[in-house]
């Protein structure tokens, strides 16, 4: 089978295509023919060496794949040949809270990931995908979709009629927007591009803020909410945005710390959390059980994830470069098989 490898810290230029023999399917495992792989900002972090791994050995990258079950190992009973499934970001975290044990070895960092023609994985590290999604759309569920679901409904516990602030128009934020609107939430979104903000409005955003036009965008958010602020913030920016996200949150609001597009440093006044009874919550993607919940919700509401661009398998380096450019709106996907 064909696959790509990358060396952590060696950059996108270290992506290499290679071939190797197919792995045997052990008891409790299944073989999945990979049809599409979705990229995340985390994949760029692996490339530049800023992700949590201490190994520089080549690894098959990426965590998000959708494919078809083509072989079932002895004792595996969850799936049948022909079932369409997505990978769970964490192979061992199925339900309940994250622990150091069940969140070990996520796909595509210190251990091999999914950017290959086929993968052999535990039957428990997969979940079913909605029938109405094509392969590229379904490949976006694993990380961005589950992360947004966790932040909105698990950690923040949002209910219809409450409000959320989404930073930027990357994969998690656009997923968050779509889930929020399907759940009856008020959604405010930021971007430096008026064109992207118009596209967000077309997806249902109730209000938009151009953070280049309004550098102190938290003030705009509070004005849009009558001075109250929002019930939840999906904080993906990091350095330069955390303080503003805290200020944009309402009393008793939750700021979900998801990523650090601009870096992970940042200063804020802890007193603002105390006086506002606000909560910072780290979001480390989510469990396969959350993936199952997300998939059911998406299926019932016929949500169609936003895929910005699909690259062919041999265009993988170009897909990485496009993601790095920040020009995307939604997700960047690699087509592995037709």
């Amino acid at each position: 089978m064909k696959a790509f490898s990358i060396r952590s810290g060696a950059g996108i230029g270290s992506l290499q295509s290679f071939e190797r023999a197919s792995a045997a399917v052990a008891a409790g495992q299944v073989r999945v023919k990979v049809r599409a792989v979705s990229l995340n900002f985390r994949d760029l972090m692996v490339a530049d060496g800023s992700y949590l791994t201490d190994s520089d050995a080549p690894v098959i990258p990426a965590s998000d794949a959708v494919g078809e079950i083509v072989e079932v190992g002895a004792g595996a009973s969850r799936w049948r040949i022909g079932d369409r499934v997505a990978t769970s970001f964490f192979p061992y975290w199925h339900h309940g809270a994250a622990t150091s044990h069940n969140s070990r070895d996520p796909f595509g960092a210190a251990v091999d990931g999914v950017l290959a023609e086929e993968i052999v994985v535990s039957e428990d590290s997969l979940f079913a995908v909605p029938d109405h999604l094509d392969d590229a759309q379904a490949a976006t569920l694993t990380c961005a979709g589950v992360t947004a679901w966790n932040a909105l409904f698990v950690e923040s516990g949002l209910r219809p009629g409450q409000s959320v602030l989404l930073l930027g128009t990357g994969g998690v934020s656009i997923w968050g927007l779509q889930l929020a609107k399907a759940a009856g939430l008020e959604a405010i979104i930021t971007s430096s591009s008026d064109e992207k903000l118009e596209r967000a409005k077309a997806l249902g955003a109730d209000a938009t803020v151009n953070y280049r036009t309004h550098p102190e965008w938290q003030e705009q958010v509070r004005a849009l909410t009558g001075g109250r602020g929002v019930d939840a913030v999906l904080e993906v920016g990091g350095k330069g945005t955390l303080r503003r996200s805290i200020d944009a949150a309402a009393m008793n609001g939750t700021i979900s710390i998801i990523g650090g597009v601009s870096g992970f440093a940042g200063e804020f006044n802890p007193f603002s959390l105390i006086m506002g009874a606000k909560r910072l919550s780290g979001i480390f993607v989510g469990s396969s059980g959350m993936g199952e919940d997300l998939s059911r919700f998406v299926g019932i509401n016929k949500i169609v994830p936003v895929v910005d661009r699909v690259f062919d398998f041999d265009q993988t380096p170009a897909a990485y470069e496009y993601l790095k450019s920040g020009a995307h709106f939604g997700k960047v996907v690699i087509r592995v098989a037709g």
Side-chain angles (χ1 to χ4, degrees):
M1 66 111 181
K2 294 181 180 178
F4 272 88
S5 68
I6 196 167
R7 298 180 72 95
S8 178
I12 295 172
S14 68
L15 280 165
Q16 296 289 329
S17 176
F18 71 96
E19 294 188 31
R20 73 179 182 194
S22 297
V25 178
Q29 292 185 323
V30 295
R31 189 186 310 278
V32 180
K33 179 182 179 181
V34 176
R35 296 195 177 278
V37 170
S38 175
L39 295 180
N40 299 290
F41 183 75
R42 176 251 201 177
D43 297 311
L44 298 180
M45 295 175 66
V46 170
D48 68 22
S50 59
Y51 195 71
L52 304 175
T53 176
D54 56 5
S55 173
D56 61 357
V59 66
I60 296 175
S63 56
D64 302 21
V66 68
E68 176 186 351
I69 302 287
V70 293
E71 185 179 350
V72 177
S77 58
R78 291 192 64 200
W79 310 106
R80 296 180 179 180
I81 291 175
D83 286 346
R84 202 162 66 115
V85 294
T87 49
S88 179
F89 187 88
F90 294 106
Y92 309 106
W93 182 13
H94 307 311
H95 298 284
T99 66
S100 59
H101 183 68
N102 66 24
S103 63
R104 71 190 188 279
D105 295 339
F107 287 122
V111 302
D112 281 343
V114 300
L115 194 53
E117 291 182 320
E118 62 178 42
I119 54 175
V120 174
V121 296
S122 165
E123 64 170 346
D124 295 321
S125 62
L126 305 166
F127 60 91
V129 300
D131 291 338
H132 74 281
L133 300 184
D134 65 25
D135 291 331
Q137 294 160 351
T140 73
L141 292 162
T142 296
C143 183
V146 170
T147 296
W149 178 270
N150 189 1
L152 291 172
F153 306 120
V154 180
E155 286 297 317
S156 299
L158 294 180
R159 303 180 303 278
Q162 292 188 291
S163 56
V164 61
L165 172 64
L166 306 150
L167 302 188
T169 55
V172 172
S173 295
I174 295 302
W175 253 115
L177 171 59
Q178 293 183 282
L179 293 175
K181 295 315 300 174
L185 304 175
E186 179 185 11
I188 302 171
I189 193 165
T190 70
S191 175
S192 62
S193 165
D194 287 334
E195 179 184 356
K196 289 183 177 181
L197 291 176
E198 286 301 315
R199 293 181 67 183
K201 286 181 182 177
L203 288 173
D206 296 281
T208 63
V209 179
N210 187 315
Y211 62 78
R212 207 171 293 282
T213 305
H214 301 283
E216 298 297 326
W217 44 263
Q218 74 279 8
E219 297 176 0
Q220 294 296 116
V221 173
R222 298 197 72 89
L224 288 166
T225 55
R228 178 179 178 275
V230 292
D231 295 297
V233 182
L234 270 60
E235 165 58 63
V236 300
K239 184 178 181 180
T241 62
L242 179 56
R243 175 184 62 80
R244 293 180 173 88
S245 289
I246 294 171
D247 290 344
M251 193 164 189
N252 298 302
T254 299
I255 301 92
S256 292
I257 310 299
I258 293 168
V261 173
S262 60
F264 284 93
E267 294 184 358
F268 65 92
N269 181 2
F271 198 60
S272 64
L273 292 176
I274 297 169
M275 293 302 294
K278 302 175 185 181
R279 183 169 70 111
L280 296 182
S281 179
I283 304 296
F284 200 14
V285 193
S287 65
S288 59
M290 293 181 202
E292 292 167 355
D293 292 341
L294 166 68
S295 187
R296 283 192 295 270
F297 186 83
V298 168
I300 290 169
N301 290 281
K302 295 296 184 286
I303 296 172
V304 178
V306 177
V307 175
D308 181 280
R309 188 170 170 185
V310 179
F311 290 80
D312 290 333
F313 194 42
D314 60 3
Q315 297 176 309
T316 288
Y320 269 72
E321 292 290 357
Y322 182 65
L323 179 66
K324 185 177 180 180
S325 76
H328 58 291
F329 180 97
K331 296 295 292 180
V332 178
V333 176
I334 296 167
R335 181 190 299 108
V336 179

